[in-house]
Amino acid sequence: MVCVMENALFLNISDIHVKNENKERIIIKLKALIRHLNVFSIESENIFILVSGDIAYSGLKEEYEYVYDYFEELATKYHLIMCPGNHDHDFSVYTSIVRNQLLKAEVDSLDDGSIELITQGMDAYYKFDESLTTFRPDSYNKLSKSYVLNLGKRKIGITTFNTAWCSQRNEKGGDMSFPTKYIIDAPQCDINITMLHHPLSWLEPNNHKQLRNILRERSNIVITGHEHVEDSLRIESESNKCLMLEAMSFDDDWSDDNGFITFKFEENDVLIKNFKWQNEEFHEIKQIKQSEIIKSNSISTNNYIVKIDYLKSIKDIGVNFIHPDKDDLTLEDVFIYPNLKKIDGNSKLDMKKFSSDSILSGGNKKVILIGDEYCGKSTLLKKYFLDSVKKGYLPLSIDCSTVKRAGLEYDKILQRFLEVQYENLSLTEFVNSTATKVALIDSFDLIRGDRKSVELFLDKSARVFDIIIISVSDSFDFNGSELIGENYFDESFEKYEMLRLGYKLRYDLVHKWNSLKEECSNENKVLLAKNDLAFKTISRIIGRNYIPSTPFFLLTMLQSMENGNSLDVNAGSYGYYYEYLITHSLGSASVRKEELDEFFNYVKELSSHYFTNNLQEETTDNLWDFNLNFCQDYGVRIDYETRISLLVKAKIMEKKDGGYYKFKYPYVYYFFIAKHLAETIRDEKTIEIINGLVSSLGKRRSMSILMFLTHHSRDESILDKVVEQAKKLFKDNSPTKLDLNIKFINDIVDALPKLNFQKQDRFQLRRAYEDRKDIIEENNSVDKFDDDNFQSDRKEDEQAGTDLLKEMNLTFKSLEILGQLSRNYYGSLKVPQKKRLLGEAIDAPLRSLDFFIDYIKDETDIVLDAIERRISEQNGEKNINLTQLQLKEMAKHFLFQLVLGLSYTFLTKISSSIGSNNLQPVIDDLCDAHNSNSGKILKLATMLELGNSISVEHLRTILQSLDKNPISDNLVKSIILNYLYMFERSDVEVQQICAVAEISYNSVSKQIGLDKLNKNN
C-alpha cells in the first residue's frame, strides 16, 4: 500500500512504439511531457503515471534503452504503473511450434508454466518494468497486478491485466482471450481503476462478456490503449459508475491525434482532460466531467431521465455479434421492424401484413404480439421503449419472467421496474403523470401466479397505462389455450403474429450491416455490390425455409461471412455456414469445444435413427433406448435426461406434446443425415440410399441431403451420379441456340416496345424489387417453416403434376446442385471436372428451354388460338370489344413476351446458379464452345450477375457477335437493364452502355426489362 495525500492527478500515456527510426521524435515528446508534469505538480502533489502498453515497437531490449532515462525520471519524481501491449512482445524469440500449440488449448486450462512459455517474448519488457518499480503490488500473478493507494480520505485500487500475453503477429479482433482464473479480485477501496492494453472487443465474444461484466461490477474507471483513438469516453453500466477511457496514442505516424489524457477526482465527479501534440508541443484541447458524459449519453422523457445502465441494456442486442468495422453493435445499428399479421380469435386469417413500426401510433391501445423464440419479440419491445421516449410518452418495460406474484403485489412490481429504468421517477409521479403511459410487457406466458392474480395484473395495468403491448410465445396461441382465449384477454386486445423477415426486410438488414463498414460509408457502388453478394448468399443458405429467416439467424450468417471471423469459412460452401450455426447453438448451450466431436457424433447417430426408421417424432422411451445403445457402442456414459435437455436448449431438438421429440430445424436433420452417409459412403446400403436421392432430386428432402452430402464428402461417385442424372433430362433436345426465326415474331418486330433506362435510386429500386418477390411468394402461399418440411416428400409427390413438370423441376434442382458443387470446390476441382459439372449445369436448362421453344415454333397457330380465346374471355368479362385484328396482334405480343420471359428466366437462373469470379474462365470457355446466341448471352449474364464492371468495348464485341433476332436482342437488353438497375455505375458509364446496347437513356416511357421479366424469375 502506498500512502499519499488526497490531491492526486492521474496521467495516462499509451502506444509509444519507440524504435530506432523514431527514437528522436519520441524523446522530444517525452521531454515535453516532463515539462507539463512540472507544471501539473504545482497543483497536484501526487501524480500517478499510468502506461497502458506498447512502450516499444518490437519488444527489443534496445528499444526500452532508448527511453529508459526518461522513464526513470518519471518513476523517480512520480508514481509509475505500467501494463504491456502487443508491441512489447519480441516475436522473434518464438522459433518452435510450442507457443502456437499452447495457444490452441482451452485458455483456463493453462498453468503458470504455460503462461511463462507463451510470454517469453516479453522478457525485455518485464525487466524494464521491474527496474522502474518504485512500489510493489499488493497482490499479483503471472498476468495481473493490484495496487492500493491510500490518499488519506479514501483508498484507490489500481489493477493491471496483461491482455497481450497471447498476442500474435497480425492478431485479429475476437481471437484473443484472458484466463478468468488470472483475474485478481479488486481490492476493497473507495475507487477502483483497471488498466489493460486491448479494448474488450478484441477478446473472444464469450470471454469479452465475462471480463466486461467483471469490470463493470468492480471498476470505476477502465483504461485501454491499442486502437489509437483521439477521444473515446463512455459510461459502462452499473449505476453510471464505470467510466471507460480509450487512450490516445503517444506516437503514431498514421494519426494526427497523438497525445495523453489526465483525470482527477473532484467531489463525486471525475474531470478528464485531453492533451494533443501540435506544433512541437502538447496543448490542452478538451476537458469534460464524468457527469457531463452521463448526461450526454442519457435520454429523458417528460423531464424523467432514463438510467444509463438501463438505456445500455435496451440498446444491447443481447448477442455478441462481431462486426468487422464496429466494435459494439447496438440495437439501432441492425434493427429492422418486422411485419405483423392480424390474428382473429383461434384462427389465422389471411389478412394483409403491415409493418410493426405503426403499432405505437395505431388506433388500438391493447396489443398482443405472438411469435417464436427467435422472431425478436423482446427486441421489438426494446425498440418500442426508445420510440415511446422519442414520442414524449412515458414507457415502462415489465419482464414477466421476474414477476412472482402478479397482480397481488402490483404496486411493488411497478416500483421495482421504475427504480431500475428511471433516475428520478417515483410510483406516485408515474401514476399521476398526464403523459401517455406505455406498458411493454414481455414474456407474459412466464408470469407466475394463479388465474385470479394474473387477471388482476391485467386489470390494474389497464387502469394505469394508456397503451399496453404484450408479447407471448407462439406455443400458447391458436390451439384453444387459455392464454389466447377469453379468460385472460378480452375483445379489446388485438392479436398479431410476428412474421419472419421476407426478401425486402432481409435486404434491409444486409444493407444496415454493410453500411457500417468503412469501405461502404462513402462509396455507394461498393455498398450495393456487397449487399447483392451477401443477400444472394443468405438467400441460398436459407433455401426453402430450412433456416428461419429471423434477425438472429441472419446476423449470425452475416457475421460468419466476414473475413477475420474465428471460423475459417470457404465463402462459397454453404455447408460451412450451417455447421457454424450448429456449433454456435451448441456453444450457446454451454457445450465446450472439446465436447463438440462427441456431440456431433451423437446427433449424427440420432438423425440416422430418425431417417432409418422414417420418423418425424420419437417417444421418450425409444430415445432412452437409443441413448443406452449409443453409450454401449461408443463406451461412454451419458445421462439421457441431461443430454436431451441440452439438445433442446441448443435448439437441436424440440419437445412436443405427449413427451415426443423432433428435430427443431430441417437443416440440422439434413446436415447430420448427410454426415452419416458421408462416413459410410462405401457401404452398399448407403450407395443404394444415395442412388435413390439422386433419382428423386426434385424432392426437397433429397435435394437438401445431397447438398449437405457434397459438403461432407467430395467422393467423385456423387458428382458422377448427379451429372449422369442431369444428362437424362430432356435428352431428346439439344441446348437451344436462341437463333429464333419464328414467323409471328417477325410479323410484329416493328411494333415491339423499346427498352428504356430511367435513372432511379438503385437502393430503393432493389427494395421495391424484393418487395414484389414478397408479394408473389405470399400470393403463392409458400409453405411456412413448420412440420411440413418433414412431410414434404408426400406432398410433392401429390402436387408434382405431369411428367413434364417433374422433369422441369429436376432440371432446376440439378442446376442448383451442380452450380453449388462447382462454386464450393473451385480450388480443388481440376478444369476437366469443372467443365463436366458446369457443362451439364448449362446444357440441361438450355435443353429444357429448347423443348418449349420447339413446341411454340411447331405449334404456333394452336398456341396463338389458345391465347386469343383466353384474351377474348377476359375482355368479355370486362365488356371490352376487340376486332379480330386487334385480338390477333395482342395474342402475338403476349406470346412474344412469353418466349422472352421463359428465355430470360432460364438464362438468369443458370447465371445465378453458376456465377462466380473463380469459375468465370471455365464458364467463358464453355459458353464460347456453344458458338451460339445462348452461349454468348449466358457468358454476358454470368459476368453481370456478379456486378462486375464491363468495358464498353467488351460489351460491344459481345453484342456485335450475336445473330440478330428480336428475342436475343430484347433478351440481352433486358439482362443489361437489370444489371444497370441493380448495381451502381456512374452516369457516364450508364450512358455509354445504353448507347452500345441501343437502350434509350433516361426516358420516361414504359419498359419491360426489370418489371415484367423478373416476375417469373
Side-chain angles (χ1 to χ4, degrees), residues 714-732:
R714 276 182 282 177
D715 191 285
E716 287 208 24
S717 66
I718 305 171
L719 311 186
D720 293 340
K721 288 171 183 176
V722 175
V723 171
E724 290 306 313
Q725 173 68 29
K727 285 184 175 181
K728 298 175 184 177
L729 302 170
F730 295 95
K731 62 183 180 181
D732 295 332

Side-chain angles (χ1 to χ4, degrees), residues 459-502:
D459 181 61
K460 291 181 177 180
S461 295
R463 280 184 267 155
V464 173
F465 293 94
D466 302 290
I467 299 174
I468 299 174
I469 303 176
I470 297 173
S471 77
V472 297
S473 168
D474 63 346
S475 59
F476 286 88
D477 69 342
F478 314 134
N479 294 316
S481 73
E482 295 171 340
L483 192 59
I484 298 301
E486 297 180 357
N487 289 316
Y488 284 150
F489 300 116
D490 58 32
E491 293 181 355
S492 63
F493 280 94
E494 294 282 0
K495 306 172 186 70
Y496 298 98
E497 177 191 4
M498 286 184 64
L499 305 178
R500 296 190 172 100
L501 302 189

